[in-house]
Amino acid sequence: MAKQKFYVVWEGKTPGIYNTWNECKAQVEGVANARYKSYESLQEAEAALKAGANKSWGKGKTPAKAGAKPAKGGSGASMEEIDYDSISVDVGTRGNPGPVEYKGVDTRTGEILFYVGPVENGTNNLGEFIAIVHGLAYLKKLGSNKTIYTDSRTALAWMKNRKIASTLVRSPATAKIWEMADRALQWLNTNSYENKVVKWNTEEWGEIRADFGRK
């Protein structure tokens, strides 16, 4: 049986402590810049709620250890705490398929570093993949080895396999998003980079900093 967790919502529809992820999700879904986190005990959750988000949000259960093994589903190092010296990417869609836009932001400040879209007749997964590669190309031009955060496991899998496994039909209507995706894949296969691309831990840290707030 899974261990009971307690979810603190500092910024959401109704701040407080919730006993299940579904209850927590109902409070933060669609809320821009929602801040919430899970705890192993009610005592920890109560203390965190009282301390406030500024002291508790974005902190993992333990600091990351040097030489830690990569997290399952990610392509970078396992990280219990947020690396704020990084960029975060995310996608906003209206329908799937539908208009797609994406952005990359400074994880620490939220400053928008690049923004593209909307592109008609795209999918969330294609947009996520393109956004990650855009971030890699952006950082490479700057000579930066900063980490990139994404909340998409699918896009991470496509990167790892160097293959796009989308079911979106290629047609004149989807030509633009596919042109961007093909160009991103070509860049990925012809460039090297040292940046870690890491799965953002939404359940522990809240929505990714680049979130469009459309869930």
Side-chain angles (χ1 to χ4, degrees), residues 4 12 14 25 32 39 51 53 60-61 66 98 107 123 126 129 139 205 212:
Q4 169 74 50
T14 304
K25 184 179 179 181
Y39 288 90
K61 292 184 284 294
T107 304
T123 67
L126 284 172
F129 176 76
L139 291 174
W205 300 336
F212 279 79

Side-chain angles (χ1 to χ4, degrees), residues 52-165:
N54 290 336
K55 291 185 178 180
S56 304
W57 183 78
K59 300 293 185 181
K61 292 184 284 294
T62 57
K65 295 180 179 179
K69 293 181 180 180
K72 185 177 181 181
S75 60
S78 174
M79 302 177 71
E80 291 290 335
E81 293 193 6
I82 298 171
D83 175 6
Y84 284 100
D85 189 25
S86 63
I87 71 172
S88 298
V89 300
D90 202 16
V91 168
T93 60
R94 297 189 185 281
N96 198 28
V100 170
E101 51 195 317
Y102 68 81
K103 61 184 173 182
V105 307
D106 184 294
T107 304
R108 188 185 306 278
T109 66
E111 175 190 0
I112 295 176
L113 305 174
F114 55 84
Y115 192 111
V116 175
V119 180
E120 297 297 325
N121 301 312
T123 67
N124 183 76
N125 288 332
L126 284 172
E128 294 275 9
F129 176 76
I130 295 166
I132 294 171
V133 180
H134 189 147
L136 288 171
Y138 171 85
L139 291 174
K140 186 167 186 175
K141 285 183 180 180
L142 296 178
S144 171
N145 63 356
K146 286 184 177 182
T147 291
I148 295 177
Y149 280 115
T150 173
D151 61 6
S152 173
R153 293 187 185 279
T154 297
L156 282 171
W158 291 357
M159 286 195 61
K160 179 180 179 180
N161 297 326
R162 297 293 197 271
K163 182 179 180 181
I164 297 173

